[in-house]
Amino acid sequence: MAEINKNEVDIVIGAVNADLTQFLSSWRPFFSGFHLIVVKDPELKDELNIPDGFDVDVYSKTDMEKVVGASNSSMFSGYSCRYFGYLISKKKYIVSIDDDCVPAKDPKGFLVDAVSQHVNNLEKPATPLFFNTLYDPYTEGADFVRGYPFSLREGVPCAASCGLWLNLADLDAPTQALKTEQRNTTYVDAVLTVPLKAMLPISGINIAFNRELVGPALVPALRLAGEGKVRWETLEDVWCGMCLKHISDHLGYGVKTGLPYVWRNERGDAVESLRKKWEGMKLMEKSVPFFESLKLPETALKVEDCVIELAKAVKEQLGSEDAAFTQAADAMVKWVQLWNSVNSSE
């Protein structure tokens, strides 16, 4: 891989747990030399425990209120706290990894440098317009297959890199409750571009994106009532992924998935989470037809415009279905206002 310009990268960590010692110590070989933004869940009362030796800025509820006002700090509770890091970063690339993940090992037993792999994905073009059956044609040792149009081989800018994980798979609560012993043990050495118009649920567990291209499209919006502190109970990043992909398609960018892997430790009770997540699954069944039929106006040329237009469509077409959609639409508008405010005052 090419040498990474560390001045172009922020690593954002949403601290849902106070003790980050094991997490950061495990990532030290790969986080060293990068600037870290650690955002503390505003509902977390304990002081954070952060080992020495990192270039890190820590943001608490007080810091949030100074930037976005007391009335808006609730947008960043639980796992959504990492969005505050996205908001205040000034770097080109954001890499975000959850605090219950440690570096994975590849099939040869080497630790995976997730940061470098993410940035490598982002710096090379994506190919959403025509599927390459050898996966990412820009990877070392790969190329475009016979029949791939030469007119499309330049690709398009890559907006996001959605990494995967070993051990605890990102299943929904009912699936995990039924398959309590199931673990993801398969390391697939591949990166691929998600095709144009194909939807996907991204996960904040292990993701990177080009903030300059699509920063405002990563929006904390669709929340469940009483949303919890474990992934089975959260929906905001799933919704965010559908918004991000639709906007990327509209603006001519690509989204990649696959490498890099992280190792995800177990947290939470899937059976206990079922009660909260069932409501979210019903919302997603209504969301998919909406995104399938959605067409953003050609006049929406900026990411911020796309988010506003998307919010308007959500309110008009889904608002009567469930109050959560109306709240999501309002949150999307508020997010663009905050983004413009924070990023115009530099």
Side-chain angles (χ1 to χ4, degrees):
M1 290 185 194
E3 187 70 24
I4 292 175
N5 182 353
K6 294 186 175 181
N7 293 322
E8 288 188 334
V9 182
D10 268 338
I11 298 173
V12 174
I13 299 147
V16 181
N17 296 287
D19 190 358
L20 297 177
T21 306
Q22 181 185 1
F23 168 75
L24 286 174
S25 297
S26 71
W27 284 103
R28 189 181 293 276
F30 308 120
F31 285 3
S32 180
F34 288 96
H35 178 243
L36 274 58
I37 295 177
V38 174
V39 185
K40 182 181 177 183
D41 174 6
E43 296 174 18
L44 185 62
K45 303 303 180 193
D46 299 334
E47 287 295 313
L48 294 186
N49 194 341
I50 296 176
D52 294 333
F54 291 95
D55 175 16
V56 58
D57 286 320
V58 179
Y59 295 89
S60 65
K61 183 178 181 181
T62 305
D63 300 310
M64 289 180 189
E65 291 178 348
K66 288 178 183 174
V67 175
V68 301
S71 62
N72 294 316
S73 63
S74 60
M75 290 179 74
F76 305 107
S77 66
Y79 280 108
S80 296
C81 64
R82 69 188 189 284
Y83 287 88
F84 183 78
Y86 303 169
L87 180 69
I88 60 166
S89 171
K90 300 294 181 282
K91 301 291 179 67
K92 180 177 182 178
Y93 300 125
I94 300 281
V95 176
S96 188
I97 297 174
D98 270 5
D99 64 0
D100 61 352
C101 297
V102 297
K105 288 184 178 179
D106 67 17
K108 295 179 180 178
F110 294 106
L111 289 176
V112 175
D113 182 351
V115 180
S116 294
Q117 178 67 60
H118 271 310
V119 176
N120 185 60
N121 289 346
L122 293 171
E123 289 190 329
K124 292 179 178 176
T127 54
L129 303 176
F130 201 96
F131 191 79
N132 195 60
T133 50
L134 279 178
Y135 306 114
D136 190 344
Y138 305 100
T139 303
E140 189 175 341
D143 210 325
F144 291 95
V145 296
R146 180 172 58 93
Y148 200 102
F150 281 90
S151 60
L152 296 177
R153 294 191 182 192
E154 285 187 8
V156 302
C158 182
S161 166
C162 304
L164 304 175
W165 44 95
L166 298 172
N167 193 32
L168 194 65
D170 197 19
L171 306 176
D172 51 49
T175 306
Q176 186 63 47
L178 285 171
K179 300 181 175 181
T180 55
E181 302 303 315
Q182 182 163 310
R183 298 294 178 268
N184 182 31
T185 59
T186 306
Y187 186 104
V188 180
D189 187 11
V191 177
L192 57 91
T193 297
V194 183
L196 182 72
K197 296 191 182 302
M199 288 175 276
L200 81 160
I202 67 165
S203 174
I205 290 169
N206 174 24
I207 189 175
F209 60 94
N210 186 322
R211 188 180 182 277
E212 292 180 357
L213 284 186
V214 290
L218 285 101
V219 50
L222 190 63
R223 304 289 296 272
L224 302 177
E227 189 162 284
K229 302 291 185 187
V230 293
R231 280 284 172 201
W232 291 311
E233 298 167 6
T234 62
L235 198 64
E236 46 84 10
D237 55 348
V238 174
W239 176 263
C240 168
M242 299 174 83
C243 296
L244 169 65
K245 180 57 165 61
H246 198 88
I247 291 171
S248 296
D249 285 350
H250 174 76
L251 294 177
Y253 305 140
V255 173
K256 295 181 184 179
T257 184
L259 301 178
Y261 280 89
V262 298
W263 180 274
R264 188 173 171 224
N265 295 309
E266 298 184 40
R267 180 192 292 169
D269 183 332
V271 177
E272 179 64 25
S273 298
L274 259 174
R275 291 175 295 125
K276 294 177 181 174
K277 191 63 182 276
W278 181 246
E279 191 62 35
M281 286 183 286
K282 289 191 292 184
L283 292 180
M284 291 315 298
E285 296 303 320
K286 295 172 181 175
S287 302
V288 171
F290 165 76
F291 279 101
E292 283 179 334
S293 62
L294 178 66
K295 183 166 175 57
L296 294 174
E298 293 182 9
T299 51
L301 302 177
K302 292 172 58 182
V303 179
E304 292 89 337
D305 298 335
C306 293
V307 177
I308 294 295
E309 291 292 342
L310 219 165
K312 187 161 66 175
V314 170
K315 182 167 277 191
E316 289 174 357
Q317 298 177 38
L318 293 175
S320 60
E321 296 275 349
D322 195 293
F325 289 121
T326 301
Q327 293 163 5
D330 292 341
M332 291 164 79
V333 173
K334 174 57 70 176
W335 174 251
V336 170
Q337 292 170 347
L338 290 175
W339 190 277
N340 289 337
S341 173
V342 170
N343 291 283
S344 65
S345 59
E346 296 172 14

